[in-house]
Amino acid sequence: MPEPLNIGADLAGHAYALAHDATVMTAWVGDSPSVRKRRDIKRYVKEPGYDQKVKALLDPDVSEIYHHPRGSAIYLKRPERIHDEGDQLTAYHMTHERAAKALVALACSRGWTSIVFNGPHDFILAAMREAVAKGMPVHPRDPGQRLILEQIMGEGSGAMGTVAIPMAFVPPAEPPFPHDPIPEPAPPQPAPEVPAAPLLKMANDMATKLALRRQSRLSTDESHDNDPINPKGPKGP
């Protein structure tokens, strides 16, 4: 039994995937068209006879086509489906090979002059091979895709023969920025030792100064005691 349609959930899931740059099997027009040209391309989904063209192209797999404001959802053998927005095609729950054939066929049928792919490595490989076989120019998005495309083109021309496609492209690590080594801090130096003799001399000098100061104070007090003008002692009645 095929799964029942849940169009609302499918549209919400598709919108979420696009908003969060999820790795989904996607193809879109690769000529970077102007806003006006892109608007014209997107109108293709609303043209009369769109459903018949899609069914003729993908039949007998098409089970239903649902139109919404942004485009259409093409349901194949459930749960397989393709979201068509005119200038962008996204496949869900399909094998990489089936998705590659369907998306490239739809792109060719509406006159795209080039194509860009996004998605898992195996899908990119299958989709690029399908596009090259159909004569559709491919614009790689990054150095990894460029390497895959060059190897596929080499396979077709026989210049390179069959080349193993890497499972993933890992960009070379950039060399570290040159910098001067940071010098290690000098070890802490012990405080210089003060010889005992100067310390003793300083103590003796301090004691001598205190003794002289005390003697000077006593002498001052004695001079006041012997002063006849201002004698000290108990006052008379």
Side-chain angles (χ1 to χ4, degrees), residues 97-170:
E97 290 73 18
R98 279 177 57 78
K101 289 182 179 295
L103 299 191
V104 171
L106 290 170
C108 291
S109 69
R110 59 194 59 182
W112 288 9
T113 56
S114 63
I115 197 167
V116 178
F117 296 110
N118 185 45
H121 173 272
D122 290 346
F123 166 74
I124 299 296
L125 176 58
M128 285 188 173
R129 278 183 172 150
E130 184 69 17
V132 169
K134 298 295 183 184
M136 172 75 73
V138 179
H139 293 326
R141 299 184 63 219
D142 51 46
Q145 288 195 4
R146 186 177 297 110
L147 175 62
I148 295 174
L149 180 59
E150 290 175 355
Q151 293 173 335
I152 291 173
M153 299 295 290
E155 292 174 6
S157 64
M160 297 174 60
T162 303
V163 181
I165 305 296
M167 291 304 296
F169 175 77
V170 180

Side-chain angles (χ1 to χ4, degrees), residues 42 45 47 59 78 111 115 133 173 221 228:
K42 293 172 76 69
V45 179
E47 289 182 357
D59 191 63
R78 301 179 197 171
I115 197 167
D221 293 341

